[in-house]
């Protein structure tokens, strides 16, 4: 896709700090990192969201994310790691090409990424669960 920044990185039209690549995925450093080591895994095939990505590409992306996570753990020894994937503008997806963020985290790094635990309406939760189970059956 000509106007997709990740496709342009994939094709070498935009420079990047590449970490790993295979026939289905590419991993590179995020140029706007939340923390040291923040990197991305993208599918080579353009798919805007999780709803669009081919299952084989999704499987490959998770396998690459695991490989990158292990390297991050050995190289930086973070206390934790966020694996983040967003779909659509309402979820704050900034580039409409399926990708995974791997964000190393350290205790008290001041970056946040939490929300208050607020009990949900159990009846509403059950209704939603029923609707989802019906579609998955």
């Amino acid at each position: 896709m000509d106007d997709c920044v990740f496709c342009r990185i994939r094709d070498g039209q935009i420079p990047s700090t590449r970490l790993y690549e295979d026939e289905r995925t590419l991993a590179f450093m995020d140029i706007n990192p939340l923390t040291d080591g923040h990197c991305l895994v993208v599918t080579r095939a353009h798919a805007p969201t999780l709803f669009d990505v081919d299952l084989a590409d999704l499987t490959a992306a998770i396998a690459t994310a695991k490989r990158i996570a292990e390297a991050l753990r050995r190289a930086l020894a973070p206390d934790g790691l966020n694996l983040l994937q967003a779909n659509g503008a309402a979820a704050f997806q900034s580039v409409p090409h399926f990708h995974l963020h791997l964000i190393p985290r350290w205790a008290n790094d001041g970056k946040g990424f939490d929300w208050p635990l607020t009990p949900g309406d159990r009846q509403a939760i059950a209704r939603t669960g029923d609707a989802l189970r019906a579609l998955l059956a």
Side-chain angles (χ1 to χ4, degrees):
M1 180 160 258
D2 291 342
D3 60 342
C4 174
V5 66
F6 290 164
C7 288
R8 294 179 67 208
I9 288 171
R10 175 201 64 206
D11 296 342
Q13 298 169 355
I14 296 176
S16 66
T17 302
R18 291 179 182 231
L19 303 173
Y20 174 81
E21 52 191 298
D22 60 27
E23 61 279 353
R24 291 187 177 271
T25 66
L26 172 64
F28 51 91
M29 299 302 294
D30 193 308
I31 63 168
N32 298 300
L34 182 64
T35 64
D36 185 32
H38 181 170
C39 54
L40 304 172
V41 173
V42 305
T43 55
R44 285 188 173 278
H46 181 83
T49 69
L50 178 64
F51 304 111
D52 308 297
V53 70
D54 178 81
L55 185 57
D57 290 336
L58 178 62
T59 302
I62 290 296
T64 296
K66 169 76 170 164
R67 184 177 185 135
I68 299 300
E70 293 292 344
L72 286 166
R73 181 166 42 179
R74 288 193 311 270
L76 301 176
D79 297 323
L81 179 100
N82 287 127
L83 179 64
L84 174 68
Q85 200 279 315
N87 298 280
F92 302 100
Q93 182 182 15
S94 58
V95 177
H97 183 124
F98 179 84
H99 61 287
L100 301 167
H101 290 262
L102 285 86
I103 307 169
R105 299 300 302 272
W106 288 267
N108 303 311
D109 63 14
K111 300 300 181 182
F113 199 75
D114 58 350
W115 53 83
L117 296 179
T118 305
D121 177 317
R122 294 213 182 235
Q123 290 179 338
I125 293 168
R127 281 191 305 274
T128 300
D130 290 344
L132 292 170
R133 268 192 304 281
L135 291 170
L136 293 167

